[in-house]
Amino acid sequence: MGVGKALTQKGSERMRQFPQGFLWGCATASYQIEGSPLSDGAGPSIWHRFSHTPGNVLGGDTGDVACDHYRRWRDDVVLMRELGIRAYRFSIAWPRVLPEGRGAVNENGLAFYGRLVDALLEADIIPFVTLYHWDLPGSLQDLGGWANRDVAGWFADYADVLFGRLGDRVHHWITLNEPWCVAHLGYILGQHAPGMRDLWAGLRAVHNLLLAHGRAVLAFRQRNMPEGRIGITLNFRPPHPGSQSEQDRAAARRAHAYHNRLFLDPIFTGRYPDPIVQWFKDSWPETLQSDQDVIRAPIDFLGVNYYTRNVVVHAPGTGLLHTRVIRQPGPHTAMGWEIYPEGLFELLLWIHQAYGSPVLYITENGAAFEDRPDPSGTVRDTDRLDYLRQHFVQAHRAIQEGVRLQGYFVWSLMDNFEWAHGYSKRFGIVYVDFGSQKRTIKQSGHWYCGVIARNGLEN
Ligand SMILES: N#[N+]C[C@@H]1[C@@H](O)[C@H](O)[C@@H](O)[C@@H]2O[C@H]12
């Protein structure tokens, strides 16, 4: 079933036309671009603490300055307007709004985001607000953070402050960004803030993140904002077995259940994937029957973050799932991730078919490459342009198959603080000279501007 005109002849060109009103955008996150983490009454986040702890971030980089967006936000909105984006996904730093995570609101912090929203609307750019993109207030981590069941109420209260103060202008809300990374990288592997290596805590974080999401959705519904839409952003890595042996196929099923279904199933079906509950049986958290109803509070859209796939083999005693990812031949990004555009089509179709055809937004897709300006100052990032083009083609294929994909946010608007990699990995379609803070639209950014203007791809 096609949607819109799939391929239209335009002279000798063939266009892949996207549906009218398709939202082309870019995405960022507070700690990765803002800088000024403690300005105007903001409290320290777990990433402020983590990055200031020696050894946690490559090169000792921190988010103290980042892209200085907290001060340069007006110019950055002008930049977004130059790119012609229709929508901008950004996150709000919880500790800027509630410095202690609970209690008193920091009006300065709230005012920053109010000004940013007003400037976006003035520029005819639709704000998509992520309530949580990993910068938990440090004071809540002191109480156990995501491993403390009370966090669900703290998060819902924080979300409700923002619904009340920005809900008249912001109509698209994302509760959590990649809760899988929050639990797995932050509480189980310790590679991200808060740097815990505790399976017991990590699995409770999984459940409490889902509870927090559900409680925020219920708080949103209570506000009765008919124009409002709320969803969650999940990260996915479609796993392919390294061989057709039953062991490798079972390994891929385990990886699929843990990486792709751990949050999706409870939200859409009210149940955790059985293979995972069985796998972690001794450590699995106690849950209440009533939790399911909170977690599966209906959402209006699902945000999909896709970068690559994993080819997985059975590896006894290796890692959490006794699996190992096998590097594939062919092109990879600077993150060491295989470039596998077909994985985006496979993923979108699977979600569409297996979870009741939800409205989808690609809330992140992009690539890191070694970008350098040439002597003229131009950044010819053809590898990123090709990566995006190939993935846009797959998104178009999915729409042609009836997937209700309504927008695409490129990660990222600009080069930024790439978590434990610091500033060593550049994902932006805009180059940032972190010394001078000069922004330069890369070749991929200029190309993306054309895609948006045509709402489609030329072959
Ligand atoms: N790594 N990487 C790039 C990108 C990261 O910069 C985002 O903050 C995350 O939401 C997600 O992991 C994807």
Side-chain angles (χ1 to χ4, degrees), residues 154-267:
W154 303 334
F155 179 71
D157 292 344
Y158 154 66
D160 197 49
V161 167
L162 293 171
F163 298 150
R165 302 292 289 269
L166 296 176
D168 59 324
R169 290 159 283 166
V170 174
H171 302 306
H172 295 84
W173 298 90
I174 293 165
T175 55
L176 303 172
N177 176 75
E178 297 197 352
W180 185 91
C181 288
V182 175
H184 186 74
L185 301 180
Y187 286 79
I188 295 174
L189 296 192
Q191 295 170 0
H192 280 193
M196 291 178 68
R197 291 180 175 78
D198 180 335
L199 178 63
W200 188 94
L203 294 177
R204 274 140 196 83
V206 167
H207 190 66
N208 295 336
L209 282 154
L210 281 163
L211 272 181
H213 158 75
R215 290 282 301 272
V217 171
L218 293 173
F220 180 77
R221 301 299 181 207
Q222 286 291 320
R223 284 272 173 181
N224 191 21
M225 296 186 283
E227 285 181 77
R229 300 289 180 271
I230 192 164
I232 187 172
T233 280
L234 301 178
N235 56 297
F236 297 92
R237 281 223 183 168
H240 291 193
S243 77
Q244 287 310 305
S245 72
E246 182 41 38
Q247 281 193 329
D248 286 352
R249 289 160 61 88
R253 285 195 296 273
R254 281 199 304 277
H256 184 48
Y258 184 66
H259 213 124
N260 302 323
R261 295 178 49 203
L262 185 59
F263 289 88
L264 200 56
D265 282 24
I267 290 170

Side-chain angles (χ1 to χ4, degrees), residues 32 64 127 215 280:
Q32 294 183 268
D64 286 359
R215 290 282 301 272
F280 292 116

Side-chain angles (χ1 to χ4, degrees), residues 29 32 89 133-134 177-178 181 305 307 335 337 364 411 416-419 427:
Q32 294 183 268
R89 176 185 173 228
H133 200 127
W134 304 358
N177 176 75
E178 297 197 352
C181 288
N305 286 3
Y307 289 90
M335 293 295 283
W337 297 347
E364 287 182 33
W411 185 270
N416 59 52
F417 177 80
E418 184 43 55
W419 307 115
F427 276 88

Side-chain angles (χ1 to χ4, degrees), residues 104-126:
V105 170
N106 174 30
E107 291 296 339
N108 294 326
L110 213 48
F112 165 69
Y113 294 110
R115 288 192 296 272
L116 175 60
V117 166
D118 291 343
L120 290 168
L121 295 174
E122 180 64 31
D124 200 21
I125 297 171
I126 298 170

Side-chain angles (χ1 to χ4, degrees), residues 87 134 148 261 333 379 410:
W134 304 358
N148 180 342
R261 295 178 49 203
T333 71
V379 184
V410 169

Side-chain angles (χ1 to χ4, degrees), residues 219-329:
F220 180 77
R221 301 299 181 207
Q222 286 291 320
R223 284 272 173 181
N224 191 21
M225 296 186 283
E227 285 181 77
R229 300 289 180 271
I230 192 164
I232 187 172
T233 280
L234 301 178
N235 56 297
F236 297 92
R237 281 223 183 168
H240 291 193
S243 77
Q244 287 310 305
S245 72
E246 182 41 38
Q247 281 193 329
D248 286 352
R249 289 160 61 88
R253 285 195 296 273
R254 281 199 304 277
H256 184 48
Y258 184 66
H259 213 124
N260 302 323
R261 295 178 49 203
L262 185 59
F263 289 88
L264 200 56
D265 282 24
I267 290 170
F268 281 89
T269 72
R271 288 177 52 83
Y272 286 103
D274 289 339
I276 293 305
V277 177
Q278 293 311 314
W279 187 262
F280 292 116
K281 55 182 175 300
D282 302 339
S283 308
W284 198 254
E286 320 71 45
T287 61
L288 303 178
Q289 184 60 30
S290 58
D291 291 351
Q292 284 183 18
D293 297 335
V294 172
I295 291 169
R296 64 183 308 189
I299 56 177
D300 301 307
F301 64 86
L302 174 67
V304 172
N305 286 3
Y306 174 81
Y307 289 90
T308 187
R309 67 164 175 178
N310 275 345
V311 176
V312 173
V313 295
H314 178 59
T318 304
L320 205 55
L321 299 174
H322 297 190
T323 59
R324 183 166 49 247
V325 174
I326 303 298
R327 184 179 171 97
Q328 296 303 294

